[in-house]
Amino acid sequence: MSGNTIGRVFCLTTFGESHGPGLGGVVDGCPAGIALDEAVIQRELDRRKPGQGLGTTSRKEADRVRLLSGVFEGRTTGTAIGFFIANEDQRSRDYGPLEFLHRPGHADITYQAKYGIRDYRGGGRSSGRETVCRVVGGGIAQEVLAAQGVTVTAYTVELGGIGLESVNHNSEADSGTSRRVNLDGVANRSFFAAHAGLVGPWEERIKEVRGQGDTLGGIVEIQALGVPAGLGEPVLDKLDARLAYALMGVGAVKGVEIGAGFAATRMLGSANNDPILAGGFASNNAGGVLGGISSGQPLVIRVAVKPIPSIAKPQTTVDRHGREHELHIGGRHDICAIPRIVPVLKAMVCLTLADMLLLHRTARHSRS
């Protein structure tokens, strides 16, 4: 299997399966001298780990990261940073009936078609549990970005069809989005909600859908502040293209938009263009990217997250011989990928920005 590495200068390679001994990875290309506290990375992992919050799986994993190399006395050494996270609460017996059946909405049938073999215990390599490695890599990348004054924040703007318009009835266009957010304390708010007024309705929606044996999707927004102008390598390695590539690499993601995104299709060019003033831009419909290169404005990205495919309702499927069966999925599953996917999406943006920042620095040095 290829495709386990992301990045050109700042690279993350991951390994491991949902029900194996553990998961881990290697970060290569991290500059020397970056302050790196294991506790900072653990804090990001704690925001993603299972078994906490309404609508998440009951699987209990400590998700304690062990940094194996590349760090000495609290700073990176410039060598490869290895890490490992043990699996501690697998219940592989729950997946026994799935050895010969393909779950709708999962990668079972495509893995079988591609490799002729698959790890049916929780999806193996295609499991959302693999994203724990992305969070570790993103936590390291976050410290590289922080050293350059770049901050990344991710939060939920819609869940189960309930969005910010339910609490902001009179919102006006602002920074490339028609919705206003309240990010004060968002990291500690349930669901990483963009507004405290959304938490109650979302909790009620999850209770309702859980009672129906079904699942929910949502929309996550990511903002990056302090991104310098000039990041991105046109024509075929644009910053927004790299961001979309990284985010679409997360299993539950089905769409990515930058700035005004799809709303731009309903705007006139005169409204969509961001006027350039002596002090900067008057708006940010472009989402901080022009011609594939960062403009120095905030990056604004939204990500569509599909409903969890493991539902409690009976489903029709086929076995590996093509015979139809009625499938009843057991095991422990989330009702919605949100909030656990939020730190994963943040990590993917951090990984991309760190890579593009170092690539830009390398290109500038080679020209000088």
Side-chain angles (χ1 to χ4, degrees):
M1 175 188 284
S2 60
N4 297 298
T5 300
I6 186 170
R8 290 175 55 186
V9 178
F10 187 98
C11 305
L12 168 68
T13 301
T14 74
F15 67 85
E17 292 86 30
S18 176
H19 285 243
L23 303 103
V26 175
V27 170
D28 207 358
C30 182
I34 300 294
L36 187 60
D37 186 347
E38 200 170 89
V40 173
I41 300 174
Q42 190 61 53
R43 184 166 62 243
E44 295 297 315
L45 284 170
D46 289 345
R47 290 168 176 159
R48 180 223 160 270
K49 72 180 180 182
Q52 56 180 356
L54 186 68
T56 67
T57 173
S58 60
R59 178 172 176 172
K60 297 289 186 181
E61 294 284 359
D63 281 352
R64 300 299 304 182
V65 63
R66 290 177 56 204
L67 296 181
L68 306 177
S69 63
V71 181
F72 180 68
E73 295 184 342
R75 293 193 174 271
T76 58
T77 62
T79 59
I81 302 172
F83 62 87
F84 183 76
I85 299 158
N87 286 329
E88 299 173 334
D89 189 28
Q90 311 99 307
R91 281 201 338 216
S92 300
R93 64 183 182 277
D94 290 342
Y95 295 91
L98 300 177
E99 182 177 359
F100 302 105
L101 296 176
H102 302 305
R103 296 167 297 172
H106 284 272
D108 299 349
I109 196 167
T110 50
Y111 265 58
Q112 192 70 41
K114 184 173 180 65
Y115 300 107
I117 186 173
R118 64 183 176 89
D119 183 347
Y120 57 86
R121 303 167 304 167
R125 187 73 174 142
S126 69
S127 169
R129 179 141 182 78
E130 181 274 336
T131 61
V132 71
C133 303
R134 324 275 190 103
V135 176
V136 176
I140 298 170
Q142 179 176 249
E143 298 308 290
V144 174
L145 295 173
Q148 301 299 317
V150 180
T151 59
V152 179
T153 306
Y155 44 90
T156 308
V157 295
E158 184 175 316
L159 194 156
I162 302 172
L164 277 166
E165 64 279 358
S166 68
V167 293
N168 291 333
H169 297 290
N170 300 311
S171 62
E172 299 176 356
D174 181 53
S175 298
T177 175
S178 60
R179 300 160 290 187
R180 293 188 182 276
V181 300
N182 178 6
L183 299 185
D184 292 337
V186 69
N188 299 313
R189 193 177 296 146
S190 294
F191 308 105
F192 303 106
H195 193 289
L198 289 166
V199 174
W202 286 351
E203 288 179 340
E204 291 304 311
R205 181 70 173 136
I206 286 176
K207 292 176 184 176
E208 174 189 8
V209 170
R210 177 192 277 125
Q212 298 167 354
D214 227 318
T215 58
L216 294 167
I219 299 175
V220 175
E221 186 167 279
I222 307 105
Q223 282 196 36
L225 305 179
V227 178
L231 302 191
E233 303 296 323
V235 173
L236 298 177
D237 209 10
K238 293 179 169 69
L239 175 60
D240 43 358
R242 289 282 299 275
L243 287 166
Y245 168 82
L247 291 163
M248 287 295 293
V250 178
V253 172
K254 300 304 289 184
V256 176
E257 62 178 13
I258 311 292
F262 284 98
T265 66
R266 300 184 291 273
M267 301 167 70
L268 297 174
S270 55
N272 183 57
N273 286 347
D274 300 312
I276 304 173
L277 310 176
F281 294 84
S283 57
N284 192 17
N285 289 309
V289 185
L290 290 167
I293 302 171
S294 60
S295 65
Q297 289 187 277
L299 288 180
V300 182
I301 311 148
R302 278 177 297 280
V303 179
V305 179
K306 74 173 184 177
I308 295 289
S310 292
I311 62 175
K313 291 184 174 183
Q315 301 177 81
T316 301
T317 189
V318 297
D319 60 26
R320 62 176 61 181
H321 302 293
R323 295 174 299 217
E324 286 192 5
H325 294 263
E326 183 174 85
L327 175 65
H328 297 264
I329 296 180
R332 299 164 294 176
H333 308 284
D334 295 326
I335 300 298
C336 184
I338 294 169
R340 295 179 59 211
I341 200 172
V342 176
V344 178
L345 300 176
K346 173 187 173 183
M348 298 310 289
V349 171
C350 288
L351 285 164
T352 303
L353 290 179
D355 188 39
M356 297 300 272
L357 187 68
L358 295 174
L359 184 64
H360 179 65
R361 182 186 300 173
T362 302
R364 290 186 64 182
H365 287 170
S366 65
R367 288 194 295 266
S368 62

